[in-house]
Amino acid sequence: MDTRPIGVFDSGVGGLTVVKQIMKVMPHENIVYFGDTARVPYGTKSKEAVTKYSKQNVRFLLSKGVKAIIVACNTASSNSIDALRDTFDVPIFGVVVPGVEEALLSTKNKKIGVIGTPGTVRSGAYEKMICEKDGEMQVFTKACPLFVPLAEEGWTDNEVSRQAAKRYLDELVEKGIDSLVLGCTHYPLLKRCIGTTVGDAIKLVDPAKATALRVMHFLGERNQLNQEDAEGKKQFYLSDSTDTFQFVCEKALKFPYQPQIIDIERY
Amino acid sequence: MDTRPIGVFDSGVGGLTVVKQIMKVMPHENIVYFGDTARVPYGTKSKEAVTKYSKQNVRFLLSKGVKAIIVACNTASSNSIDALRDTFDVPIFGVVVPGVEEALLSTKNKKIGVIGTPGTVRSGAYEKMICEKDGEMQVFTKACPLFVPLAEEGWTDNEVSRQAAKRYLDELVEKGIDSLVLGCTHYPLLKRCIGTTVGDAIKLVDPAKATALRVMHFLGERNQLNQEDAEGKKQFYLSDSTDTFQFVCEKALKFPYQPQIIDIERY
């Protein structure tokens, strides 16, 4: 048994959808969350910038004595996970591999859509990994840069988000996909709007749950799960104070939080 | 005569609309522009974060030997200009004062609308300054956080931006304003969409031109204008590479650029 916390970081608040899934499958785990709200978003920034920021985030989480780290941000998972694993000894999990595995289980016609930030789409991580696993797969990607600010504005299902979804997603629907990977941790917040736009025939794949399960299996195999009776403690750290965090935290996690602000540039 | 460059900084690319106005009224001035594309946007961040970043930006521009600095970002102008003036000796100009003066000249019915980022609106800088100049003025403010990502997506006048504009601006129109300050340097890029939404009876006030004129008068009075015959040289620096910069630069300035990437956290 290992009672050390699991570290989770995201560019901002989107990673809370991953925390929610960890809490579901591993309710006894202590969690340290870091949201880089001072430098959000990552999705429109270069690979170099995202990797630099991600390294600082890992160093911060290591200072909290974590036993494993989840990169809850798709942009960082797609662009920086190799650099992180090369640099640090701690087990590091991204969201792309679990998302890919879910998508492969979901599709029947071998046509998969992937939506994400410009940085995630530019990296090519999803299509590369999907096609490595099954060369017959067809993958259609689309960057949806406005979905993050829409989620942060709380416009998760109104006429603005629906118009934006239509503009982004119609071309994927026309390709005949039967599964659509929500390749950004913010996007589950827009699930209803996205689902209405693409229709019931297309299954939405959220990598968050598969990511939590993957980490659970990893820790279980090594006898590192926290088996204390109490519910795990949660610590939230941000690099800047923000109203959005409170909004999403209450919406996604449905419990009060007490984030502490830290200076991430020092790590 | 003083041939040193004018320094301009913005959170990202929006300040290019200010550069455009400087080029119009002072074509011989050399300009050093810094866009903090690694940490954009400022508008959703705290006063503390914006002030810290702004100080780093000023230090960088001072390292380029500038004779004056324009804070082309409304969020930084509203939240951080006093701190900057307290810290540095160089003349520093914001965009709020010129915007306020333009609005006072524009309004006939003394009802002024101001739109900006959450950070600008939260600061209260515009209404405070307008009401100090004329206590009879009524000021109505509205944060429009989606306008910046819409401008950066290039969706300056489509059904998504028009729906968003309607949602943000209808309440200001109902207040009976006759002038609307575009209190964010990105917003002039959405001018047509905003103008269509509020109608011809409401005059749009863009602080960029008034800011350029104010700096011209200041330098002229001190005999510090550059009176060389040649067109001024432009140097562009960014803290991260971004496609958006190229897009907006070509759209707003209509000339090729060659931005250099610097590590702003070192300043």
mmCIF file of all heavy atoms in Angstrom, chain B residues 199-229:
data_model
loop_
_atom_site.group_PDB
_atom_site.id
_atom_site.type_symbol
_atom_site.label_atom_id
_atom_site.label_comp_id
_atom_site.label_asym_id
_atom_site.label_seq_id
_atom_site.Cartn_x
_atom_site.Cartn_y
_atom_site.Cartn_z
ATOM 1 N N GLY B 199 -25.982 48.440 -34.396
ATOM 2 C CA GLY B 199 -26.690 49.364 -35.288
ATOM 3 C C GLY B 199 -25.942 50.676 -35.487
ATOM 4 O O GLY B 199 -25.063 51.045 -34.706
ATOM 5 N N ASP B 200 -26.344 51.400 -36.546
ATOM 6 C CA ASP B 200 -25.630 52.616 -36.942
ATOM 7 C C ASP B 200 -25.734 53.741 -35.924
ATOM 8 O O ASP B 200 -24.905 54.655 -35.907
ATOM 9 C CB ASP B 200 -26.195 53.143 -38.274
ATOM 10 C CG ASP B 200 -25.816 52.221 -39.424
ATOM 11 O OD1 ASP B 200 -24.865 51.436 -39.236
ATOM 12 O OD2 ASP B 200 -26.462 52.295 -40.475
ATOM 13 N N ALA B 201 -26.758 53.716 -35.079
ATOM 14 C CA ALA B 201 -26.974 54.833 -34.147
ATOM 15 C C ALA B 201 -25.921 54.859 -33.041
ATOM 16 O O ALA B 201 -25.765 55.876 -32.360
ATOM 17 C CB ALA B 201 -28.372 54.739 -33.540
ATOM 18 N N ILE B 202 -25.221 53.764 -32.854
ATOM 19 C CA ILE B 202 -24.203 53.712 -31.798
ATOM 20 C C ILE B 202 -22.820 53.817 -32.427
ATOM 21 O O ILE B 202 -22.454 53.018 -33.292
ATOM 22 C CB ILE B 202 -24.335 52.418 -30.970
ATOM 23 C CG1 ILE B 202 -25.694 52.412 -30.258
ATOM 24 C CG2 ILE B 202 -23.185 52.284 -29.976
ATOM 25 C CD1 ILE B 202 -25.961 51.172 -29.430
ATOM 26 N N LYS B 203 -22.054 54.807 -31.968
ATOM 27 C CA LYS B 203 -20.727 55.039 -32.550
ATOM 28 C C LYS B 203 -19.696 54.172 -31.835
ATOM 29 O O LYS B 203 -19.662 54.120 -30.601
ATOM 30 C CB LYS B 203 -20.385 56.521 -32.392
ATOM 31 C CG LYS B 203 -19.305 56.964 -33.353
ATOM 32 C CD LYS B 203 -19.056 58.472 -33.284
ATOM 33 C CE LYS B 203 -17.634 58.759 -33.729
ATOM 34 N NZ LYS B 203 -17.174 60.090 -33.379
ATOM 35 N N LEU B 204 -18.859 53.506 -32.606
ATOM 36 C CA LEU B 204 -17.813 52.670 -32.013
ATOM 37 C C LEU B 204 -16.553 53.509 -31.771
ATOM 38 O O LEU B 204 -16.084 54.208 -32.671
ATOM 39 C CB LEU B 204 -17.480 51.496 -32.930
ATOM 40 C CG LEU B 204 -18.656 50.577 -33.307
ATOM 41 C CD1 LEU B 204 -18.153 49.374 -34.109
ATOM 42 C CD2 LEU B 204 -19.410 50.103 -32.067
ATOM 43 N N VAL B 205 -16.024 53.446 -30.566
ATOM 44 C CA VAL B 205 -14.845 54.227 -30.186
ATOM 45 C C VAL B 205 -13.654 53.283 -30.054
ATOM 46 O O VAL B 205 -13.645 52.387 -29.212
ATOM 47 C CB VAL B 205 -15.085 54.953 -28.843
ATOM 48 C CG1 VAL B 205 -13.819 55.689 -28.403
ATOM 49 C CG2 VAL B 205 -16.268 55.902 -28.950
ATOM 50 N N ASP B 206 -12.644 53.484 -30.905
ATOM 51 C CA ASP B 206 -11.430 52.659 -30.867
ATOM 52 C C ASP B 206 -10.292 53.491 -30.275
ATOM 53 O O ASP B 206 -9.842 54.454 -30.897
ATOM 54 C CB ASP B 206 -11.090 52.208 -32.292
ATOM 55 C CG ASP B 206 -9.771 51.440 -32.358
ATOM 56 O OD1 ASP B 206 -9.158 51.198 -31.302
ATOM 57 O OD2 ASP B 206 -9.364 51.081 -33.476
ATOM 58 N N PRO B 207 -9.818 53.149 -29.069
ATOM 59 C CA PRO B 207 -8.795 53.974 -28.419
ATOM 60 C C PRO B 207 -7.444 53.992 -29.140
ATOM 61 O O PRO B 207 -6.599 54.829 -28.818
ATOM 62 C CB PRO B 207 -8.627 53.314 -27.034
ATOM 63 C CG PRO B 207 -9.858 52.489 -26.835
ATOM 64 C CD PRO B 207 -10.269 52.047 -28.203
ATOM 65 N N ALA B 208 -7.242 53.118 -30.114
ATOM 66 C CA ALA B 208 -5.911 52.977 -30.718
ATOM 67 C C ALA B 208 -5.441 54.276 -31.371
ATOM 68 O O ALA B 208 -4.312 54.725 -31.161
ATOM 69 C CB ALA B 208 -5.924 51.837 -31.740
ATOM 70 N N LYS B 209 -6.326 54.886 -32.149
ATOM 71 C CA LYS B 209 -5.931 56.092 -32.877
ATOM 72 C C LYS B 209 -5.621 57.231 -31.896
ATOM 73 O O LYS B 209 -4.606 57.925 -32.028
ATOM 74 C CB LYS B 209 -7.061 56.499 -33.826
ATOM 75 C CG LYS B 209 -6.620 57.523 -34.845
ATOM 76 C CD LYS B 209 -7.722 57.804 -35.847
ATOM 77 C CE LYS B 209 -7.318 58.977 -36.727
ATOM 78 N NZ LYS B 209 -8.422 59.366 -37.625
ATOM 79 N N ALA B 210 -6.504 57.407 -30.917
ATOM 80 C CA ALA B 210 -6.297 58.471 -29.929
ATOM 81 C C ALA B 210 -5.003 58.242 -29.145
ATOM 82 O O ALA B 210 -4.301 59.193 -28.768
ATOM 83 C CB ALA B 210 -7.497 58.547 -28.983
ATOM 84 N N THR B 211 -4.670 56.986 -28.913
ATOM 85 C CA THR B 211 -3.430 56.664 -28.204
ATOM 86 C C THR B 211 -2.221 57.089 -29.031
ATOM 87 O O THR B 211 -1.285 57.731 -28.523
ATOM 88 C CB THR B 211 -3.357 55.145 -27.927
ATOM 89 O OG1 THR B 211 -4.501 54.760 -27.173
ATOM 90 C CG2 THR B 211 -2.092 54.783 -27.168
ATOM 91 N N ALA B 212 -2.243 56.751 -30.301
ATOM 92 C CA ALA B 212 -1.126 57.118 -31.182
ATOM 93 C C ALA B 212 -0.967 58.641 -31.237
ATOM 94 O O ALA B 212 0.151 59.169 -31.173
ATOM 95 C CB ALA B 212 -1.358 56.535 -32.577
ATOM 96 N N LEU B 213 -2.096 59.363 -31.325
ATOM 97 C CA LEU B 213 -2.031 60.831 -31.387
ATOM 98 C C LEU B 213 -1.469 61.406 -30.090
ATOM 99 O O LEU B 213 -0.669 62.348 -30.098
ATOM 100 C CB LEU B 213 -3.435 61.405 -31.651
ATOM 101 C CG LEU B 213 -3.959 61.181 -33.074
ATOM 102 C CD1 LEU B 213 -5.423 61.594 -33.174
ATOM 103 C CD2 LEU B 213 -3.115 61.980 -34.082
ATOM 104 N N ARG B 214 -1.875 60.825 -28.980
ATOM 105 C CA ARG B 214 -1.402 61.309 -27.679
ATOM 106 C C ARG B 214 0.124 61.165 -27.567
ATOM 107 O O ARG B 214 0.811 62.085 -27.106
ATOM 108 C CB ARG B 214 -2.080 60.479 -26.582
ATOM 109 C CG ARG B 214 -1.903 61.027 -25.199
ATOM 110 C CD ARG B 214 -2.603 60.119 -24.196
ATOM 111 N NE ARG B 214 -2.389 60.629 -22.845
ATOM 112 C CZ ARG B 214 -3.178 61.513 -22.260
ATOM 113 N NH1 ARG B 214 -4.211 61.977 -22.899
ATOM 114 N NH2 ARG B 214 -2.906 61.940 -21.027
ATOM 115 N N VAL B 215 0.626 60.032 -28.011
ATOM 116 C CA VAL B 215 2.075 59.805 -27.953
ATOM 117 C C VAL B 215 2.785 60.764 -28.907
ATOM 118 O O VAL B 215 3.838 61.326 -28.578
ATOM 119 C CB VAL B 215 2.399 58.326 -28.291
ATOM 120 C CG1 VAL B 215 3.911 58.109 -28.369
ATOM 121 C CG2 VAL B 215 1.786 57.406 -27.234
ATOM 122 N N MET B 216 2.175 60.992 -30.067
ATOM 123 C CA MET B 216 2.781 61.923 -31.034
ATOM 124 C C MET B 216 2.903 63.324 -30.421
ATOM 125 O O MET B 216 3.957 63.972 -30.514
ATOM 126 C CB MET B 216 1.933 61.975 -32.305
ATOM 127 C CG MET B 216 2.556 62.824 -33.403
ATOM 128 S SD MET B 216 1.521 62.892 -34.883
ATOM 129 C CE MET B 216 0.232 64.010 -34.318
ATOM 130 N N HIS B 217 1.833 63.788 -29.773
ATOM 131 C CA HIS B 217 1.885 65.121 -29.149
ATOM 132 C C HIS B 217 2.937 65.172 -28.052
ATOM 133 O O HIS B 217 3.688 66.137 -27.935
ATOM 134 C CB HIS B 217 0.505 65.493 -28.594
ATOM 135 C CG HIS B 217 -0.501 65.703 -29.673
ATOM 136 N ND1 HIS B 217 -1.819 65.333 -29.562
ATOM 137 C CD2 HIS B 217 -0.363 66.202 -30.934
ATOM 138 C CE1 HIS B 217 -2.458 65.613 -30.690
ATOM 139 N NE2 HIS B 217 -1.589 66.142 -31.531
ATOM 140 N N PHE B 218 2.995 64.142 -27.246
ATOM 141 C CA PHE B 218 3.970 64.089 -26.156
ATOM 142 C C PHE B 218 5.392 64.188 -26.711
ATOM 143 O O PHE B 218 6.203 64.994 -26.254
ATOM 144 C CB PHE B 218 3.798 62.782 -25.368
ATOM 145 C CG PHE B 218 4.817 62.577 -24.282
ATOM 146 C CD1 PHE B 218 4.594 63.057 -22.999
ATOM 147 C CD2 PHE B 218 6.010 61.906 -24.543
ATOM 148 C CE1 PHE B 218 5.541 62.866 -21.990
ATOM 149 C CE2 PHE B 218 6.963 61.718 -23.546
ATOM 150 C CZ PHE B 218 6.727 62.195 -22.273
ATOM 151 N N LEU B 219 5.696 63.369 -27.723
ATOM 152 C CA LEU B 219 7.053 63.370 -28.287
ATOM 153 C C LEU B 219 7.325 64.691 -29.007
ATOM 154 O O LEU B 219 8.435 65.239 -28.932
ATOM 155 C CB LEU B 219 7.226 62.190 -29.250
ATOM 156 C CG LEU B 219 7.168 60.796 -28.617
ATOM 157 C CD1 LEU B 219 7.258 59.712 -29.695
ATOM 158 C CD2 LEU B 219 8.286 60.595 -27.593
ATOM 159 N N GLY B 220 6.304 65.211 -29.700
ATOM 160 C CA GLY B 220 6.465 66.478 -30.422
ATOM 161 C C GLY B 220 6.824 67.626 -29.478
ATOM 162 O O GLY B 220 7.757 68.388 -29.740
ATOM 163 N N GLU B 221 6.119 67.717 -28.384
ATOM 164 C CA GLU B 221 6.375 68.786 -27.394
ATOM 165 C C GLU B 221 7.808 68.742 -26.886
ATOM 166 O O GLU B 221 8.386 69.760 -26.521
ATOM 167 C CB GLU B 221 5.443 68.610 -26.183
ATOM 168 C CG GLU B 221 4.042 69.158 -26.392
ATOM 169 C CD GLU B 221 3.131 68.794 -25.213
ATOM 170 O OE1 GLU B 221 3.631 68.209 -24.227
ATOM 171 O OE2 GLU B 221 1.924 69.083 -25.308
ATOM 172 N N ARG B 222 8.353 67.544 -26.785
ATOM 173 C CA ARG B 222 9.710 67.382 -26.244
ATOM 174 C C ARG B 222 10.765 67.294 -27.347
ATOM 175 O O ARG B 222 11.907 66.933 -27.072
ATOM 176 C CB ARG B 222 9.751 66.108 -25.388
ATOM 177 C CG ARG B 222 9.118 66.326 -24.035
ATOM 178 C CD ARG B 222 8.631 65.044 -23.411
ATOM 179 N NE ARG B 222 7.851 65.348 -22.206
ATOM 180 C CZ ARG B 222 6.600 65.812 -22.238
ATOM 181 N NH1 ARG B 222 5.996 66.051 -23.392
ATOM 182 N NH2 ARG B 222 5.967 66.070 -21.104
ATOM 183 N N ASN B 223 10.347 67.558 -28.579
ATOM 184 C CA ASN B 223 11.274 67.472 -29.715
ATOM 185 C C ASN B 223 11.906 66.075 -29.818
ATOM 186 O O ASN B 223 13.079 65.950 -30.114
ATOM 187 C CB ASN B 223 12.365 68.543 -29.596
ATOM 188 C CG ASN B 223 13.050 68.793 -30.936
ATOM 189 O OD1 ASN B 223 12.455 68.540 -31.990
ATOM 190 N ND2 ASN B 223 14.292 69.249 -30.901
ATOM 191 N N GLN B 224 11.099 65.082 -29.540
ATOM 192 C CA GLN B 224 11.614 63.703 -29.557
ATOM 193 C C GLN B 224 11.074 62.887 -30.728
ATOM 194 O O GLN B 224 11.252 61.671 -30.765
ATOM 195 C CB GLN B 224 11.253 63.006 -28.239
ATOM 196 C CG GLN B 224 12.106 63.440 -27.055
ATOM 197 C CD GLN B 224 11.920 62.505 -25.877
ATOM 198 O OE1 GLN B 224 10.802 62.328 -25.416
ATOM 199 N NE2 GLN B 224 12.998 61.908 -25.412
ATOM 200 N N LEU B 225 10.366 63.529 -31.642
ATOM 201 C CA LEU B 225 9.892 62.771 -32.800
ATOM 202 C C LEU B 225 11.057 62.425 -33.707
ATOM 203 O O LEU B 225 12.030 63.180 -33.800
ATOM 204 C CB LEU B 225 8.841 63.588 -33.571
ATOM 205 C CG LEU B 225 7.460 63.659 -32.915
ATOM 206 C CD1 LEU B 225 6.610 64.734 -33.584
ATOM 207 C CD2 LEU B 225 6.747 62.307 -32.996
ATOM 208 N N ASN B 226 10.934 61.301 -34.367
ATOM 209 C CA ASN B 226 11.957 60.885 -35.328
ATOM 210 C C ASN B 226 11.685 61.589 -36.650
ATOM 211 O O ASN B 226 10.638 61.383 -37.256
ATOM 212 C CB ASN B 226 11.898 59.364 -35.506
ATOM 213 C CG ASN B 226 13.078 58.846 -36.294
ATOM 214 O OD1 ASN B 226 13.733 59.606 -37.017
ATOM 215 N ND2 ASN B 226 13.360 57.570 -36.159
ATOM 216 N N GLN B 227 12.599 62.438 -37.096
ATOM 217 C CA GLN B 227 12.330 63.220 -38.302
ATOM 218 C C GLN B 227 13.169 62.755 -39.485
ATOM 219 O O GLN B 227 13.327 63.478 -40.471
ATOM 220 C CB GLN B 227 12.548 64.698 -37.983
ATOM 221 C CG GLN B 227 11.691 65.073 -36.782
ATOM 222 C CD GLN B 227 11.622 66.561 -36.515
ATOM 223 O OE1 GLN B 227 12.371 67.331 -37.084
ATOM 224 N NE2 GLN B 227 10.707 66.946 -35.636
ATOM 225 N N GLU B 228 13.700 61.557 -39.373
ATOM 226 C CA GLU B 228 14.406 61.010 -40.523
ATOM 227 C C GLU B 228 13.431 60.810 -41.683
ATOM 228 O O GLU B 228 12.229 60.661 -41.479
ATOM 229 C CB GLU B 228 15.046 59.666 -40.148
ATOM 230 C CG GLU B 228 16.155 59.825 -39.113
ATOM 231 C CD GLU B 228 16.761 58.484 -38.703
ATOM 232 O OE1 GLU B 228 16.006 57.527 -38.481
ATOM 233 O OE2 GLU B 228 17.984 58.421 -38.607
ATOM 234 N N ASP B 229 13.965 60.778 -42.893
ATOM 235 C CA ASP B 229 13.105 60.637 -44.062
ATOM 236 C C ASP B 229 12.562 59.218 -44.221
ATOM 237 O O ASP B 229 11.444 59.020 -44.697
ATOM 238 C CB ASP B 229 13.884 61.005 -45.339
ATOM 239 C CG ASP B 229 14.118 62.512 -45.416
ATOM 240 O OD1 ASP B 229 13.328 63.257 -44.788
ATOM 241 O OD2 ASP B 229 15.087 62.935 -46.068
#
